[in-house]
Amino acid sequence: MSDVGPKDSHTYNPQQMSLFHQTKKPVTVADILEDNPSSKYDCSPPFINALKRIFNDDLNRLHGVRLIDYRGGNSIHSWELGLRGECSAEEIALMNQFILKRRNKEFGCEQDGKLLTQEQIASFCDYPNLGEVLNSLVAKKYLKLINGKYKPLSGNFSFEVYKFVDPNKISVTLVASDANRLGVYHNQRVRRLTPREAARLQGFPDSFVLHPNDDKAYHQLGNSVSINVVKAVAEEVLLKMLSYSQPKTEKIEELVI
């Protein structure tokens, strides 16, 4: 059901992280999760119920799931969840085709974001009641009509959470714009990652004092440098430099002797 996105947290092999020494036990998202954070980080009941409906009540399938509206594939979209109003099977099929087809060169040279006329939509969605379906999607604000052309209204920010991290893998990158929209299914709860968990992902110790305003804390952490990553890269660079310099040093010593 979900497009897990780039090969990041889902093909992670800890043995690939070091070329020069055996790695320790790999750290996963589960290692930074709080056991019982405040309920204010829980996702809303309507959102959770929509996810349950999509996954037939098996919320373990949320691990690694991406929710996104401007890409096709197997991503979960807002119209499938009914976030702006329940959609019929016809409406869902039209929206999924629209997201894919609007990227085709036959409809223009723009890379993304093409607006399509009803006639163009009819070329890949031949509904006898196409006008009614489009009007319904406009009324529910999944589509917008601009000068006789349709464009999707939704995006990443349609969702309370745009990506669910997998507790058994590594996390995606934190960024300032949406660090507050990373989610997790943990201890039977569907929730957002807390600022403290975000800080741990960036390598900050629990003694680090977070901004009391959650939004500002997420923004700061999304803009911060991952301390442990910088340290690990620096160590690898030094080890690599030493591995290249050592043979040369030994040869010089042999010549001197």
Side-chain angles (χ1 to χ4, degrees):
M1 177 57 67
S2 170
D3 178 357
V4 296
K7 292 182 178 181
D8 45 24
S9 57
H10 310 286
T11 56
Y12 166 58
N13 181 353
Q15 298 305 318
Q16 296 174 350
M17 297 298 288
S18 175
L19 298 174
F20 302 101
H21 57 79
Q22 193 73 11
T23 58
K24 300 177 182 178
K25 175 185 176 296
V27 177
T28 62
V29 169
D31 294 309
I32 61 90
L33 295 177
E34 298 186 73
D35 290 330
N36 190 31
S38 169
S39 60
K40 70 179 181 178
Y41 299 107
D42 289 344
C43 293
S44 69
F47 184 60
I48 295 173
N49 288 334
L51 292 171
K52 286 181 176 179
R53 176 174 53 79
I54 289 286
F55 290 110
N56 296 320
D57 289 327
D58 183 7
L59 293 180
N60 284 305
R61 292 168 62 190
L62 283 174
H63 298 332
V65 161
R66 184 175 65 171
L67 298 90
I68 193 169
D69 273 353
Y70 55 81
R71 294 285 181 182
N74 295 318
S75 301
I76 296 179
H77 307 104
S78 62
W79 47 88
E80 292 166 329
L81 292 171
L83 296 184
R84 296 171 181 256
E86 292 294 328
C87 289
S88 67
E90 279 185 324
E91 291 170 343
I92 291 173
L94 187 150
M95 288 300 300
N96 287 340
Q97 284 295 304
F98 191 108
I99 292 299
L100 290 174
K101 297 293 185 179
R102 72 187 184 123
R103 302 169 66 84
N104 289 2
K105 290 183 179 179
E106 64 184 286
F107 297 128
C109 297
E110 300 87 351
Q111 290 183 346
D112 281 323
K114 299 184 187 72
L115 281 66
L116 303 181
T117 65
Q118 181 171 330
E119 182 180 2
Q120 290 172 321
I121 295 171
S123 68
F124 57 81
C125 194
D126 188 18
Y127 292 167
N129 61 336
L130 180 58
E132 295 177 10
V133 175
L134 289 171
N135 288 338
S136 176
L137 289 168
V138 170
K140 294 171 185 174
K141 297 185 178 179
Y142 290 109
L143 289 177
K144 185 176 183 179
L145 185 60
I146 303 175
N147 297 326
K149 294 185 177 182
Y150 294 89
K151 69 169 290 187
L153 273 178
S154 304
N156 259 16
F157 292 99
S158 300
F159 307 99
E160 296 176 31
V161 166
Y162 83 95
K163 175 87 174 188
F164 282 95
V165 293
D166 186 337
N168 298 314
K169 303 291 184 178
I170 61 174
S171 174
V172 294
T173 303
L174 287 181
V175 294
S177 62
D178 49 23
N180 63 332
R181 291 176 182 266
L182 277 180
V184 68
Y185 177 58
H186 181 241
N187 287 345
Q188 310 302 312
R189 291 170 61 184
V190 180
R191 61 175 179 82
R192 294 176 295 124
L193 291 185
T194 69
R196 178 55 63 193
E197 289 167 338
R200 290 172 179 174
L201 285 177
Q202 293 287 50
F204 290 96
D206 285 353
S207 58
F208 182 79
V209 179
L210 298 172
H211 197 288
N213 181 295
D214 278 359
D215 288 337
K216 291 184 178 179
Y218 283 121
H219 188 80
Q220 290 175 336
L221 292 165
N223 271 330
S224 68
V225 174
S226 298
I227 300 169
N228 294 351
V229 173
V230 173
K231 180 182 177 183
V233 170
E235 288 177 347
E236 290 295 309
V237 170
L238 290 173
L239 285 170
K240 190 171 183 180
M241 291 174 63
L242 289 172
S243 69
Y244 281 128
S245 63
Q246 187 173 3
K248 293 179 180 179
T249 302
E250 290 175 351
K251 288 181 180 180
I252 292 173
E253 289 177 351
E254 289 176 1
L255 289 173
V256 171
I257 292 173

